[in-house]
Amino acid sequence: LKNCLSKNGFSKIVLDETHECKEIFSCWKSNKKITQQSIVLDRYSRNTLNKYIYDSSLLMKNLKDKIQNIDYKFILWGVGTHTATLFSMANLKMDNIVVFVDSNQNYHNKNLSGKTIISPLELEKYPDYPILISSKNAQRDIQNYIKEKGLPNKIFTLYEV
């Protein structure tokens, strides 16, 4: 990142890479002129990125293995980027999805590939279908919501949290 931005006329104000490259916080300012700076070899980032790529491929394989075994109708909770990734990389099949659920009211009553997106408040209309949670960060909160509402649906998760 530093090499790329420096090469294109930006100077670093803040660059925080203390999160093992899972997150990078940075702030840069434009110098309005491109300078000829030499590129500095960054061995640390290369190794960290390679590890991230390797870990991500293992995670995707694990998700694919879990999803390939789904041969029944279910409710999918979540319509964000996580779900888009499952469709594109983990072969999630639309045919098995009865309805989508999302907490974001901007999605309610809209369609995703011909399936309706409902509010969590409407889940009581679908007591016979298991719910697959398609969110890593909100998985526990979603599980707690389903239990607190006393919904009878079986819950399937993709992550150990």
Side-chain angles (χ1 to χ4, degrees):
L1 182 65
K2 183 178 179 182
N3 285 326
C4 179
L5 289 170
S6 297
K7 188 89 173 154
N8 287 288
F10 290 87
S11 59
K12 174 182 72 170
I13 297 172
V14 175
L15 177 59
D16 180 5
E17 298 177 276
T18 60
H19 305 287
E20 299 176 2
C21 277
K22 292 183 181 173
E23 296 176 358
I24 298 174
F25 172 78
S26 67
C27 185
W28 301 78
K29 69 177 181 176
S30 173
N31 293 329
K32 307 256 184 200
K33 62 179 181 174
I34 297 175
T35 59
Q36 294 297 321
Q37 295 186 5
S38 60
I39 293 178
V40 179
L41 181 61
D42 182 357
R43 285 181 175 36
Y44 173 77
S45 292
R46 172 187 272 175
N47 293 338
T48 305
L49 286 171
N50 284 337
K51 181 180 179 340
Y52 174 80
I53 291 167
Y54 176 77
D55 291 347
S56 295
S57 67
L58 288 179
L59 176 63
M60 188 53 62
K61 182 187 179 321
N62 184 32
L63 292 176
K64 282 181 181 180
D65 291 345
K66 287 182 177 184
I67 288 172
Q68 285 177 341
N69 295 326
I70 299 175
D71 61 350
Y72 46 82
K73 300 283 186 188
F74 64 94
I75 297 166
L76 188 111
W77 188 313
V79 297
T81 55
H82 188 276
T83 297
T85 301
L86 293 181
F87 278 117
S88 67
M89 298 179 74
N91 302 321
L92 183 63
K93 294 178 180 68
M94 186 63 76
D95 295 343
N96 293 336
I97 299 171
V98 175
V99 69
F100 288 98
V101 178
D102 203 279
S103 301
N104 185 336
Q105 64 185 5
N106 293 322
Y107 296 130
H108 298 167
N109 299 315
K110 297 204 169 124
N111 288 303
L112 179 61
S113 295
K115 308 283 182 168
T116 304
I117 304 168
I118 64 169
S119 160
L121 298 173
E122 297 178 68
L123 276 172
E124 62 190 27
K125 298 176 187 173
Y126 302 89
D128 299 327
Y129 297 101
I131 299 170
L132 174 65
I133 300 173
S134 178
S135 173
K136 184 174 185 180
N137 295 332
Q139 179 177 286
R140 184 168 305 194
D141 291 337
I142 294 169
Q143 284 177 287
N144 290 340
Y145 175 89
I146 294 167
K147 290 174 184 172
E148 287 170 7
K149 292 295 179 187
L151 297 171
N153 308 71
K154 186 171 181 175
I155 301 170
F156 290 99
T157 58
L158 297 172
Y159 302 96
E160 304 296 323
V161 261

